[in-house]
PDB file of all heavy atoms in Angstrom:
ATOM      1  N   THR A 112      20.288  15.396  -2.216  1.00  0.00           N
ATOM      2  CA  THR A 112      20.172  15.266  -0.741  1.00  0.00           C
ATOM      3  C   THR A 112      19.039  16.160  -0.254  1.00  0.00           C
ATOM      4  O   THR A 112      18.940  17.329  -0.650  1.00  0.00           O
ATOM      5  CB  THR A 112      21.487  15.642  -0.043  1.00  0.00           C
ATOM      6  OG1 THR A 112      22.530  14.798  -0.519  1.00  0.00           O
ATOM      7  CG2 THR A 112      21.359  15.472   1.465  1.00  0.00           C
ATOM      8  N   VAL A 113      18.202  15.608   0.602  1.00  0.00           N
ATOM      9  CA  VAL A 113      17.053  16.355   1.142  1.00  0.00           C
ATOM     10  C   VAL A 113      17.080  16.215   2.674  1.00  0.00           C
ATOM     11  O   VAL A 113      17.328  15.134   3.225  1.00  0.00           O
ATOM     12  CB  VAL A 113      15.721  15.799   0.607  1.00  0.00           C
ATOM     13  CG1 VAL A 113      14.546  16.519   1.242  1.00  0.00           C
ATOM     14  CG2 VAL A 113      15.648  15.911  -0.911  1.00  0.00           C
ATOM     15  N   GLU A 114      16.849  17.351   3.359  1.00  0.00           N
ATOM     16  CA  GLU A 114      16.735  17.379   4.807  1.00  0.00           C
ATOM     17  C   GLU A 114      15.264  17.529   5.168  1.00  0.00           C
ATOM     18  O   GLU A 114      14.566  18.438   4.671  1.00  0.00           O
ATOM     19  CB  GLU A 114      17.523  18.546   5.404  1.00  0.00           C
ATOM     20  CG  GLU A 114      19.003  18.569   5.018  1.00  0.00           C
ATOM     21  CD  GLU A 114      19.821  17.510   5.752  1.00  0.00           C
ATOM     22  OE1 GLU A 114      19.350  17.047   6.839  1.00  0.00           O
ATOM     23  OE2 GLU A 114      20.904  17.146   5.258  1.00  0.00           O
ATOM     24  N   LEU A 115      14.753  16.642   6.037  1.00  0.00           N
ATOM     25  CA  LEU A 115      13.363  16.718   6.472  1.00  0.00           C
ATOM     26  C   LEU A 115      13.300  16.733   7.986  1.00  0.00           C
ATOM     27  O   LEU A 115      13.988  15.921   8.657  1.00  0.00           O
ATOM     28  CB  LEU A 115      12.563  15.529   5.959  1.00  0.00           C
ATOM     29  CG  LEU A 115      12.187  15.500   4.472  1.00  0.00           C
ATOM     30  CD1 LEU A 115      11.359  14.251   4.193  1.00  0.00           C
ATOM     31  CD2 LEU A 115      11.421  16.722   4.046  1.00  0.00           C
ATOM     32  N   VAL A 116      12.486  17.594   8.543  1.00  0.00           N
ATOM     33  CA  VAL A 116      12.239  17.636   9.983  1.00  0.00           C
ATOM     34  C   VAL A 116      10.777  17.401  10.234  1.00  0.00           C
ATOM     35  O   VAL A 116       9.913  18.133   9.722  1.00  0.00           O
ATOM     36  CB  VAL A 116      12.656  19.008  10.564  1.00  0.00           C
ATOM     37  CG1 VAL A 116      12.370  19.041  12.074  1.00  0.00           C
ATOM     38  CG2 VAL A 116      14.151  19.283  10.315  1.00  0.00           C
ATOM     39  N   ALA A 117      10.461  16.340  11.005  1.00  0.00           N
ATOM     40  CA  ALA A 117       9.083  16.011  11.334  1.00  0.00           C
ATOM     41  C   ALA A 117       8.704  16.668  12.647  1.00  0.00           C
ATOM     42  O   ALA A 117       9.438  16.578  13.635  1.00  0.00           O
ATOM     43  CB  ALA A 117       8.922  14.500  11.424  1.00  0.00           C
ATOM     44  N   ARG A 118       7.543  17.291  12.636  1.00  0.00           N
ATOM     45  CA  ARG A 118       7.056  17.973  13.846  1.00  0.00           C
ATOM     46  C   ARG A 118       5.588  17.647  14.064  1.00  0.00           C
ATOM     47  O   ARG A 118       4.815  17.509  13.108  1.00  0.00           O
ATOM     48  CB  ARG A 118       7.209  19.502  13.733  1.00  0.00           C
ATOM     49  CG  ARG A 118       8.608  20.008  13.600  1.00  0.00           C
ATOM     50  CD  ARG A 118       8.631  21.529  13.622  1.00  0.00           C
ATOM     51  NE  ARG A 118       9.999  22.064  13.439  1.00  0.00           N
ATOM     52  CZ  ARG A 118      10.466  22.428  12.248  1.00  0.00           C
ATOM     53  NH1 ARG A 118       9.694  22.326  11.159  1.00  0.00           N
ATOM     54  NH2 ARG A 118      11.705  22.901  12.154  1.00  0.00           N
ATOM     55  N   ARG A 119       5.195  17.652  15.323  1.00  0.00           N
ATOM     56  CA  ARG A 119       3.775  17.644  15.664  1.00  0.00           C
ATOM     57  C   ARG A 119       3.424  19.089  16.052  1.00  0.00           C
ATOM     58  O   ARG A 119       4.054  19.655  16.941  1.00  0.00           O
ATOM     59  CB  ARG A 119       3.479  16.695  16.825  1.00  0.00           C
ATOM     60  CG  ARG A 119       2.029  16.664  17.208  1.00  0.00           C
ATOM     61  CD  ARG A 119       1.700  15.544  18.158  1.00  0.00           C
ATOM     62  NE  ARG A 119       0.274  15.456  18.398  1.00  0.00           N
ATOM     63  CZ  ARG A 119      -0.322  14.401  18.969  1.00  0.00           C
ATOM     64  NH1 ARG A 119       0.383  13.357  19.325  1.00  0.00           N
ATOM     65  NH2 ARG A 119      -1.640  14.410  19.153  1.00  0.00           N
ATOM     66  N   GLN A 120       2.444  19.674  15.368  1.00  0.00           N
ATOM     67  CA  GLN A 120       2.130  21.080  15.602  1.00  0.00           C
ATOM     68  C   GLN A 120       0.792  21.431  14.994  1.00  0.00           C
ATOM     69  O   GLN A 120       0.181  20.603  14.293  1.00  0.00           O
ATOM     70  CB  GLN A 120       3.217  21.971  14.977  1.00  0.00           C
ATOM     71  CG  GLN A 120       3.275  21.862  13.449  1.00  0.00           C
ATOM     72  CD  GLN A 120       4.318  22.773  12.849  1.00  0.00           C
ATOM     73  OE1 GLN A 120       5.424  22.349  12.574  1.00  0.00           O
ATOM     74  NE2 GLN A 120       3.953  24.037  12.632  1.00  0.00           N
ATOM     75  N   GLN A 121       0.334  22.620  15.262  1.00  0.00           N
ATOM     76  CA  GLN A 121      -0.847  23.125  14.585  1.00  0.00           C
ATOM     77  C   GLN A 121      -0.475  23.433  13.135  1.00  0.00           C
ATOM     78  O   GLN A 121       0.596  23.961  12.857  1.00  0.00           O
ATOM     79  CB  GLN A 121      -1.371  24.385  15.263  1.00  0.00           C
ATOM     80  CG  GLN A 121      -2.201  24.111  16.503  1.00  0.00           C
ATOM     81  CD  GLN A 121      -3.082  25.294  16.851  1.00  0.00           C
ATOM     82  OE1 GLN A 121      -2.757  26.439  16.552  1.00  0.00           O
ATOM     83  NE2 GLN A 121      -4.220  25.009  17.476  1.00  0.00           N
ATOM     84  N   VAL A 122      -1.391  23.078  12.226  1.00  0.00           N
ATOM     85  CA  VAL A 122      -1.149  23.239  10.806  1.00  0.00           C
ATOM     86  C   VAL A 122      -2.126  24.285  10.276  1.00  0.00           C
ATOM     87  O   VAL A 122      -3.338  24.159  10.486  1.00  0.00           O
ATOM     88  CB  VAL A 122      -1.313  21.911  10.066  1.00  0.00           C
ATOM     89  CG1 VAL A 122      -1.161  22.113   8.566  1.00  0.00           C
ATOM     90  CG2 VAL A 122      -0.302  20.871  10.575  1.00  0.00           C
ATOM     91  N   ARG A 123      -1.610  25.262   9.571  1.00  0.00           N
ATOM     92  CA  ARG A 123      -2.451  26.260   8.935  1.00  0.00           C
ATOM     93  C   ARG A 123      -2.501  25.977   7.438  1.00  0.00           C
ATOM     94  O   ARG A 123      -1.477  26.085   6.746  1.00  0.00           O
ATOM     95  CB  ARG A 123      -1.921  27.671   9.202  1.00  0.00           C
ATOM     96  CG  ARG A 123      -2.833  28.790   8.707  1.00  0.00           C
ATOM     97  CD  ARG A 123      -2.272  30.156   9.076  1.00  0.00           C
ATOM     98  NE  ARG A 123      -3.124  31.237   8.657  1.00  0.00           N
ATOM     99  CZ  ARG A 123      -4.152  31.713   9.349  1.00  0.00           C
ATOM    100  NH1 ARG A 123      -4.439  31.165  10.520  1.00  0.00           N
ATOM    101  NH2 ARG A 123      -4.888  32.704   8.896  1.00  0.00           N
ATOM    102  N   LEU A 124      -3.690  25.585   6.927  1.00  0.00           N
ATOM    103  CA  LEU A 124      -3.853  25.308   5.532  1.00  0.00           C
ATOM    104  C   LEU A 124      -3.844  26.611   4.738  1.00  0.00           C
ATOM    105  O   LEU A 124      -3.979  27.694   5.298  1.00  0.00           O
ATOM    106  CB  LEU A 124      -5.155  24.547   5.295  1.00  0.00           C
ATOM    107  CG  LEU A 124      -5.280  23.192   6.008  1.00  0.00           C
ATOM    108  CD1 LEU A 124      -6.638  22.587   5.686  1.00  0.00           C
ATOM    109  CD2 LEU A 124      -4.153  22.258   5.648  1.00  0.00           C
ATOM    110  N   ALA A 125      -3.684  26.468   3.421  1.00  0.00           N
ATOM    111  CA  ALA A 125      -3.632  27.660   2.557  1.00  0.00           C
ATOM    112  C   ALA A 125      -4.888  28.503   2.686  1.00  0.00           C
ATOM    113  O   ALA A 125      -4.855  29.720   2.494  1.00  0.00           O
ATOM    114  CB  ALA A 125      -3.400  27.241   1.109  1.00  0.00           C
ATOM    115  N   SER A 126      -6.006  27.861   3.026  1.00  0.00           N
ATOM    116  CA  SER A 126      -7.276  28.598   3.148  1.00  0.00           C
ATOM    117  C   SER A 126      -7.347  29.389   4.436  1.00  0.00           C
ATOM    118  O   SER A 126      -8.259  30.189   4.619  1.00  0.00           O
ATOM    119  CB  SER A 126      -8.424  27.596   3.112  1.00  0.00           C
ATOM    120  OG  SER A 126      -8.353  26.736   4.262  1.00  0.00           O
ATOM    121  N   GLY A 127      -6.410  29.160   5.352  1.00  0.00           N
ATOM    122  CA  GLY A 127      -6.463  29.815   6.652  1.00  0.00           C
ATOM    123  C   GLY A 127      -6.976  28.913   7.739  1.00  0.00           C
ATOM    124  O   GLY A 127      -6.858  29.236   8.927  1.00  0.00           O
ATOM    125  N   ARG A 128      -7.577  27.754   7.382  1.00  0.00           N
ATOM    126  CA  ARG A 128      -8.081  26.811   8.374  1.00  0.00           C
ATOM    127  C   ARG A 128      -6.904  26.236   9.184  1.00  0.00           C
ATOM    128  O   ARG A 128      -5.881  25.883   8.618  1.00  0.00           O
ATOM    129  CB  ARG A 128      -8.858  25.697   7.679  1.00  0.00           C
ATOM    130  CG  ARG A 128      -9.585  24.744   8.629  1.00  0.00           C
ATOM    131  CD  ARG A 128     -10.097  23.549   7.837  1.00  0.00           C
ATOM    132  NE  ARG A 128     -10.977  23.990   6.771  1.00  0.00           N
ATOM    133  CZ  ARG A 128     -12.300  24.088   6.874  1.00  0.00           C
ATOM    134  NH1 ARG A 128     -12.884  23.813   8.014  1.00  0.00           N
ATOM    135  NH2 ARG A 128     -13.033  24.460   5.842  1.00  0.00           N
ATOM    136  N   THR A 129      -7.084  26.107  10.492  1.00  0.00           N
ATOM    137  CA  THR A 129      -6.046  25.559  11.367  1.00  0.00           C
ATOM    138  C   THR A 129      -6.481  24.231  11.924  1.00  0.00           C
ATOM    139  O   THR A 129      -7.624  24.070  12.393  1.00  0.00           O
ATOM    140  CB  THR A 129      -5.741  26.524  12.533  1.00  0.00           C
ATOM    141  OG1 THR A 129      -5.309  27.788  11.995  1.00  0.00           O
ATOM    142  CG2 THR A 129      -4.665  25.981  13.443  1.00  0.00           C
TER     143      THR A 129
END
Side-chain angles (χ1 to χ4, degrees):
T112 302
V113 177
E114 304 286 339
L115 287 181
V116 179
R118 297 185 183 94
R119 181 169 185 165
Q120 65 178 96
Q121 280 200 331
V122 176
R123 187 177 181 85
L124 301 179
S126 65
R128 187 190 303 267
T129 300

